[in-house]
Amino acid sequence: PIEYIHLEHIGLHEECTLDAANLQVSEITGGGEVGKTTILDSVALNLLGGNVHGVVSDGQPEGYIQTRIAGLDIRRTIRNDKTVKLEVRDKRGLAVDRKSQDYLQEFFGGALLRPLELYQMSPKDRVKKILSVVPVDLDRANKKLAGIVGDTWRISEAGEIFSTIEAAYQTIYSDRSRAKKLLDSAAD
């Protein structure tokens, strides 16, 4: 979970701090155009990098985003000339021992869900993206599936869960329909 977010001269925020270290759930509320989305986008930018055009508050030479997550302290300073300085430190305050952005990409690369991007995806792609982030116990899923349809069907990767279940149910429905037709014709 995200423990801490601090923005300075980012978007509409002169200075904004959210300390969520001891919270199970956090809620960011407010009226329209007050910077809620900026906070969420800043976390994604800080973790994954990306386009920094227009990120720094108007009239400021630079701004920064600082996030503490998963024991890492991440600070990305962005200048108006679009130069970026990224610092990543571990729990002990020591800089990570390889290129910071590569480290973050490996650590968090697929783990972020951006609501607007999810909303714009097709339902199938949305499910794939969510399943790429949410851990799935395939053994447990296969045991549950076997309890319903037998050992004929197996899920080999998380992205196949719904398509495998759908195929299994289609087969069951077809078998049931054939059995009903046979019974109906035998009764005639």
Side-chain angles (χ1 to χ4, degrees):
I2 297 172
E3 300 168 31
Y4 176 84
I5 304 167
H6 182 80
L7 309 178
E8 194 161 304
H9 303 303
I10 300 294
L12 298 172
H13 298 285
E14 180 72 23
E15 188 172 356
C16 174
T17 301
L18 300 170
D19 190 346
N22 297 313
L23 301 175
Q24 293 294 324
V25 176
S26 299
E27 180 179 21
I28 301 172
T29 62
E33 301 297 318
V34 296
K36 298 179 301 291
T37 302
T38 300
I39 294 169
L40 298 175
D41 288 345
S42 294
V43 171
L45 176 63
N46 207 25
L47 298 179
L48 301 176
N51 185 353
V52 296
H53 177 74
V55 172
V56 177
S57 301
D58 290 339
Q60 297 298 326
E62 69 178 32
Y64 74 88
I65 306 162
Q66 188 165 353
T67 310
R68 191 172 311 116
I69 182 170
L72 297 173
D73 192 23
I74 305 156
R75 180 180 170 128
R76 189 177 298 265
T77 303
I78 305 159
R79 297 193 50 82
N80 265 340
D81 64 5
K82 299 180 190 161
T83 57
V84 176
K85 179 181 177 189
L86 175 62
E87 301 169 85
V88 180
R89 300 192 176 279
D90 64 16
K91 290 179 184 180
R92 300 167 295 172
L94 301 173
V96 297
D97 57 349
R98 60 179 200 251
K99 189 175 174 197
S100 296
Q101 190 59 60
D102 291 344
Y103 181 83
L104 291 175
Q105 191 65 36
E106 184 179 311
F107 202 84
F108 296 107
L112 288 179
L113 297 175
R114 294 182 173 135
L116 187 57
E117 286 179 20
L118 283 176
Y119 177 75
Q120 293 170 339
M121 291 178 180
S122 70
K124 187 175 185 177
D125 289 339
R126 190 177 307 137
V127 167
K128 278 184 179 178
K129 179 63 177 175
I130 291 169
L131 289 174
S132 75
V133 175
V134 177
V136 176
D137 183 342
L138 291 178
D139 288 334
R140 185 171 180 218
N142 279 313
K143 285 178 188 172
K144 291 250 184 212
L145 185 60
I148 298 168
V149 297
D151 289 329
T152 309
W153 298 93
R154 295 220 24 98
I155 303 164
S156 59
E157 63 181 64
E160 296 177 353
I161 287 177
F162 294 110
S163 60
T164 302
I165 291 171
E166 178 67 23
Y169 278 110
Q170 288 296 327
T171 300
I172 291 168
Y173 180 77
S174 295
D175 291 349
R176 192 184 82 189
S177 295
R178 273 195 302 272
K180 184 176 181 340
K181 286 180 185 175
L182 284 172
L183 283 172
D184 288 348
S185 66
D188 291 336

